[in-house]
Amino acid sequence: MITPERRGLLGLEGLNAETISGYLESARRYLPTVERSVAPEHALRGAMAANLFFEDSTRTRSSFARAAMLLGMQVVDLTESGSSASKGETLLDTALNLDAMGFDVLIVRCSASGGASAVAARTRCPIVNAGDGRHEHPTQGLLDVMTIQESLGTVQGRAVAIVGDINNSRVARSDMHALSALGATTVLVAPPTLVDRRLARAVQGAGEVRVEHDFDAVLPHVDAVIMLRVQLERDAGSGVPADFRAMYGLTAARCRALRDRAIIMHPGPMNRGVEIDAAGADSARSRILRQVTLGVAVRMAVLERAVHGA
Ligand code: CP
């Protein structure tokens, strides 16, 4: 029997290629459902999910809600300001109360790194991490590798640049775990103040992770670029050099330096005119909105496993 902790998804660190590929295969099966809005045969009808978002979100929160509804689940949506958290109740106590009500899965976003795991250690029902501080954003990591696989055919052997505020990015961490497990090379590109070289040790599986500071030197040699927002809410401001946009912004000139088939990605929210310009975000190379579509299918796969243990 798979325990609730193992059925839930707290991070991609330590997951092998087989487990990650299993999620992607299941997500591919659900993709026609997402694109046609028709509930699948194996819906989780009657199951109930609680979306517990203690940090703001546009994509992840609505994507999980849509994924759950497409599976036939019902969803209760809680945010910090609309719950008793505004009266001082902690994330853990809030989660324990929802667990006591009998929800089948809790989807947790919080600003504390490791917050989702701390909740999972105390609850009966499975926990899915929807982004916890700087730690991990596992469904974003899965949807990112699915986007690369769909656009380029394979992930193995590809070179992927993740550019910007690496130190504060849970997306970068989940991406590098998934990419390296699947045999890709991850190039973390940032000023020295925004990337800790020790992150290159996060390699797992057959892949490689390395750190570079010169975006222009990296650009012509990668198959995908994932641009990241500077996370001012995590005090990144003091580490951002004055020439950040000039050195690390994906401008029209930099888009022209990309390989012919290279794709552009961004987890959102984008800050246009800072880390990315319209010339990249809205170009034929951009897969930014495709990431969002694939994200719903990924979250259906994750919820299915969390609730059914499938
Ligand atoms: N990619 C992502 O996590 O976006 P949101 O913060 O809008 O959920």
Side-chain angles (χ1 to χ4, degrees):
M1 179 187 159
I2 303 176
T3 63
E5 189 171 350
R6 289 208 39 224
R7 288 208 315 263
L9 182 62
L10 301 175
L12 300 185
E13 185 173 10
L15 296 196
N16 60 25
E18 189 184 357
T19 305
I20 291 173
S21 298
Y23 277 120
L24 300 186
E25 201 178 303
S26 173
R28 274 193 297 276
R29 278 203 307 276
Y30 279 127
L31 189 53
T33 301
V34 176
E35 293 180 320
R36 293 201 305 265
S37 278
V38 179
E41 282 175 28
H42 305 292
L44 304 185
R45 208 161 297 287
M48 294 197 70
N51 242 351
L52 189 51
F53 273 60
F54 274 32
E55 201 182 66
D56 290 345
S57 166
T58 293
R59 277 148 293 272
T60 314
R61 181 173 154 201
S62 44
S63 179
F64 267 113
R66 177 154 167 74
M69 287 187 237
L70 282 172
L71 288 164
M73 301 175 76
Q74 292 175 51
V75 185
V76 168
D77 209 25
L78 258 86
T79 59
E80 193 165 21
S81 62
S83 69
S84 289
S86 66
K87 303 170 202 165
E89 192 162 40
T90 64
L91 169 69
L92 178 59
D93 281 326
T94 308
L96 289 172
N97 277 268
L98 294 170
D99 192 31
M101 290 176 207
F103 281 93
D104 297 287
V105 58
L106 302 187
I107 301 153
V108 174
R109 169 168 286 196
C110 57
S111 56
S113 304
S117 302
V119 168
R122 294 282 306 277
T123 51
R124 169 204 57 84
C125 73
I127 302 298
V128 175
N129 181 2
D132 59 335
R134 299 177 177 86
H135 175 227
E136 280 227 38
H137 193 346
T139 53
Q140 182 73 46
L142 291 174
L143 76 88
D144 284 350
V145 290
M146 188 175 179
T147 304
I148 291 166
Q149 198 167 60
E150 183 188 73
S151 297
L152 302 174
T154 56
V155 177
Q156 186 173 20
R158 298 294 181 186
V160 179
I162 307 178
V163 186
D165 180 8
I166 307 288
N167 279 349
N168 291 299
S169 177
R170 55 198 177 204
V171 174
R173 282 170 180 75
S174 290
D175 279 353
M176 72 177 112
H177 293 316
L179 288 166
S180 54
L182 296 179
T185 296
T186 307
V187 189
L188 303 173
V189 184
T193 47
L194 290 178
V195 62
D196 184 335
R197 296 199 81 87
R198 287 172 295 186
L199 285 169
R201 294 184 204 149
V203 67
Q204 57 188 29
E208 184 196 341
V209 180
R210 61 174 212 269
V211 172
E212 301 283 351
H213 303 304
D214 186 343
F215 189 19
D216 291 306
V218 168
L219 261 179
H221 304 291
V222 293
D223 302 296
V225 284
I226 301 176
M227 301 305 299
L228 298 176
R229 177 178 66 93
V230 173
Q231 304 210 15
L232 296 173
E233 75 271 32
R234 298 194 212 294
D235 294 331
S238 59
V240 182
D243 59 358
F244 177 81
R245 179 178 151 70
M247 298 292 287
Y248 297 99
L250 188 58
T251 57
R254 289 204 170 100
C255 289
R256 288 193 291 274
L258 284 163
R259 281 179 176 169
D260 283 350
R261 291 191 61 220
I263 60 170
I264 295 168
M265 298 164 61
H266 194 307
M270 284 188 286
N271 287 147
R272 288 172 182 263
V274 184
E275 77 275 6
I276 191 165
D277 289 354
D282 305 329
S283 70
R285 294 179 183 279
S286 174
R287 296 293 182 277
I288 294 168
L289 293 177
R290 187 64 181 163
Q291 289 172 263
V292 175
T293 302
L294 298 183
V296 181
V298 159
R299 288 168 180 129
M300 290 176 78
V302 169
L303 289 174
E304 178 191 41
R305 181 182 162 114
V307 175
H308 267 175

